[in-house]
Amino acid sequence: MERRGDVAAWCEALPLLRRLAAAQGRADEVAELVHRMRTDSGIVAQLDELGREFGIPAVGARSVVGVPGVAPGVPVDGLFVCPAGRCDRDWVRAPGVATPECHLFGEPLARATSERRAR
């Protein structure tokens, strides 16, 4: 079973994977996997294999160490998350910097709310 963090890591790596696939004439193959990745489980293993074929050694979730016994707090203003809630990708906006795009769904990351925490 895939982890949401693995989906987040591939979301961030999709621009690279798309460029490499286009250079090798395999853009349609990647587009199909991305389409399936929006709803299906188990796609990460196929992306890992395809990434290795294109020379991407490894894509993995960031390691976040929390404090045992302490729940995460309410997100600060400026925290953005996956617009569809499909993964654990999060991003903190610096002043004057545009919100990045979700490479899986093709829309900007969504502002996190107390009901919609990043993790």
Side-chain angles (χ1 to χ4, degrees):
M1 179 169 182
E2 69 189 17
R3 298 178 317 209
R4 291 170 49 92
D6 294 332
V7 175
W10 271 110
C11 178
E12 291 188 66
L14 283 177
L16 172 61
L17 184 63
R18 285 176 171 138
R19 280 193 307 273
L20 294 172
Q24 294 186 26
R26 296 175 67 186
D28 291 342
E29 183 179 352
V30 170
E32 174 62 27
L33 280 176
V34 169
H35 179 75
R36 288 180 43 217
M37 188 175 157
R38 293 177 182 155
T39 56
D40 293 351
S41 295
I43 299 302
V44 168
Q46 292 176 342
L47 286 168
D48 289 342
E49 179 59 34
L50 191 60
R52 282 189 292 275
E53 289 178 27
F54 291 138
I56 301 172
V59 172
R62 293 174 294 180
S63 186
V64 178
V65 178
V67 178
V70 177
V74 176
V76 297
D77 188 43
L79 180 65
F80 291 79
V81 297
C82 177
R86 175 77 171 100
C87 73
D88 285 340
R89 183 177 178 196
D90 60 12
W91 181 79
V92 177
R93 183 169 65 190
V97 176
T99 304
E101 180 178 281
C102 168
H103 302 295
L104 183 57
F105 289 95
E107 56 189 71
L109 295 180
R111 184 178 298 276
T113 63
S114 59
E115 295 83 34
R116 191 167 164 196
R117 297 173 192 240
R119 305 215 186 277

